[in-house]
Amino acid sequence: QVQLVESGGGLVQAGGSLRLSCAASGRTFSTYTMGWFRQAPGKEREFVAAIDWSGSSTYYADSVKGRFTISRDNAKNTVTLQMNSLKPDDTAVYYCAAPRFQYTIARAMGVNSVAYWGQGTKVTVSS
């Protein structure tokens, strides 16, 4: 069974940075695109960023483009989300996500393509 375990959330002031990590296990990590989603209180879960299986292609939501960077280490089965210039609107629970199928295109990584979710890590950005 696939397991995704996030770490790295916390409280930070606006303009600050946080680094989220996700450790994956249970299947061949290097053949699956990985993604990050977030859900703010009272809102639907939304896409944040995705990286394809090789790490050569990434895709970001417009709201985080230029501030967040997704990366992966296939040797360690980890995916990381570096978040810079954080804003109060970035406050949410962040979820690591993996699709059902191998070789999913990063741009196609939506909520409906996710088969596995992590437990979530809370990020709070104070103004």
Side-chain angles (χ1 to χ4, degrees):
Q1 180 69 301
V2 175
Q3 287 191 320
L4 304 173
V5 179
E6 301 101 333
S7 60
L11 173 64
V12 64
Q13 288 188 331
S17 298
L18 279 176
R19 187 179 180 89
L20 306 183
S21 293
C22 172
S25 62
R27 65 182 184 184
T28 306
F29 182 75
S30 61
T31 61
Y32 289 87
T33 290
M34 294 295 294
W36 287 94
F37 291 73
R38 67 186 181 186
Q39 188 165 17
K43 295 187 176 181
E44 293 187 350
R45 194 168 297 188
E46 64 176 7
F47 169 81
V48 174
I51 186 166
D52 77 356
W53 57 94
S54 68
S56 63
S57 177
T58 57
Y59 186 62
Y60 296 92
D62 287 344
S63 59
V64 307
K65 203 173 293 183
R67 300 188 296 122
F68 291 11
T69 302
I70 188 171
S71 60
R72 68 189 294 158
D73 186 336
N74 284 345
K76 296 181 179 180
N77 287 7
T78 58
V79 59
T80 299
L81 185 68
Q82 177 67 42
M83 305 185 295
N84 298 329
S85 302
L86 283 161
K87 306 174 181 180
D89 283 350
D90 295 318
T91 294
V93 177
Y94 283 71
Y95 296 91
C96 179
R100 188 177 313 278
F101 302 111
Q102 294 176 309
Y103 307 117
T104 299
I105 297 172
R107 187 179 293 270
M109 186 71 170
V111 171
N112 291 335
S113 62
V114 175
Y116 303 99
W117 297 98
Q119 83 284 358
T121 185
K122 189 173 183 180
V123 172
T124 303
V125 184
S126 62
S127 57

